[in-house]
Amino acid sequence: MKLLLTSAGVNNQSIHDALVGMLDKPIADSNALCIPTAMYGHPWVGPGVKTWEFISGKSENPMVDLGWKSVGVLELTALPSICRDHWEPLVRETDVLLVSGGDALFLHHWMWQSGLAELLPSLKAVYVGMSAGSMVMAPKIGEYFVGWTSPTGGDETLGLVDFAIFPHLDHVMLPDNTMAAAESWAAEIQGPAYAIDDQTAIKVIDGAVEVVSEGNWRHFTL
């Protein structure tokens, strides 16, 4: 699986070009599934109108509205209650997963409860994450971003990449998300990490990492 881990969606030409390059067909020929689950766990974005805006392609973070051939909804909280044969073939056949922001630990929990987490490494789809949808790929998110409390506690996430992500760097609506805060967060992470603003994404193909940016970012190493 190819990963495009964004802070705020596909919102500039460089990130858009990176996505097109990762697909094996044009966007107009590609089928997508959007995953809004993380939004329900975060008090700022769900449930309610923002979830509808994401699903319908009316949000200010371009993902669903890029001109896909089709866009379906994969709601992870519903999957444990239906037959796996009803949804797994759909996931395996889709070209792109569009995973919203929200709460990364809530998303992580439902990725495992739904069975999606165990499928992810074998999928051929391009995974496009936004904020929490990107953070969940890391080994952990850091206490700075813990909101929803996991039944198992802690801040561990999927670990499908070996670095953590601090999104929304220097965002005007998030005055605490400064570079100084990112430095403190990275010291706690004690491993590879990136702080990225909303004009930046991280592309991962076969373990090779590339930063795609028209903005500001920083790579932290031990």
Side-chain angles (χ1 to χ4, degrees):
M1 188 174 58
K2 302 173 183 177
L3 310 177
L4 186 63
L5 307 177
T6 80
S7 177
V10 184
N11 57 1
N12 63 46
Q13 192 63 48
S14 296
I15 299 174
H16 188 278
D17 290 346
L19 173 59
V20 171
M22 296 168 78
L23 295 166
D24 61 2
K25 62 180 76 172
I27 286 179
D29 294 333
S30 300
N31 297 307
L33 288 173
C34 74
I35 300 177
T37 304
M39 303 183 79
Y40 302 117
H42 197 293
W44 292 6
V45 292
V49 65
K50 290 187 180 297
T51 308
W52 174 81
E53 287 174 348
F54 172 73
I55 292 171
S56 62
K58 299 181 183 297
S59 78
E60 59 188 28
N61 304 106
M63 290 179 75
V64 172
D65 54 341
L66 297 177
W68 306 105
K69 180 180 180 180
S70 70
V71 180
V73 178
L74 188 71
E75 176 44 62
L76 303 186
T77 60
L79 299 188
S81 62
I82 61 178
C83 176
R84 190 173 178 121
D85 291 343
H86 189 59
W87 62 266
E88 183 176 333
L90 176 67
V91 174
R92 290 194 178 279
E93 292 167 6
T94 199
D95 299 304
V96 184
L97 297 177
L98 307 171
V99 187
S100 78
D103 190 286
L105 294 181
F106 185 80
L107 176 60
H108 176 249
H109 174 76
W110 284 105
M111 278 186 166
W112 278 110
Q113 291 296 312
S114 66
L116 179 64
E118 63 191 67
L119 288 184
L120 287 175
S122 65
L123 297 181
K124 296 180 180 179
V126 176
Y127 178 104
V128 183
M130 176 177 65
S131 192
S134 298
M135 296 165 69
V136 75
M137 290 287 141
K140 58 182 180 178
I141 62 171
E143 288 297 323
Y144 186 88
F145 292 107
V146 172
W148 183 81
T149 302
S150 166
T152 59
D155 65 335
E156 292 78 17
T157 37
L158 293 175
L160 293 182
V161 298
D162 66 358
F163 55 84
I165 297 175
F166 184 110
H168 309 304
L169 179 66
D170 294 328
H171 195 289
V172 65
M173 299 297 291
L174 299 167
D176 292 334
N177 279 23
T178 62
M179 186 62 80
E183 290 172 353
S184 298
W185 164 83
E188 176 217 330
I189 290 292
Q190 296 185 337
Y194 290 87
I196 61 174
D197 71 0
D198 284 6
Q199 297 298 317
T200 302
I202 302 171
K203 182 170 70 172
V204 185
I205 301 177
D206 295 331
V209 178
E210 178 185 346
V211 176
V212 179
S213 181
E214 294 184 12
N216 189 27
W217 61 280
R218 183 171 170 185
H219 183 206
F220 298 96
T221 59
L222 286 179

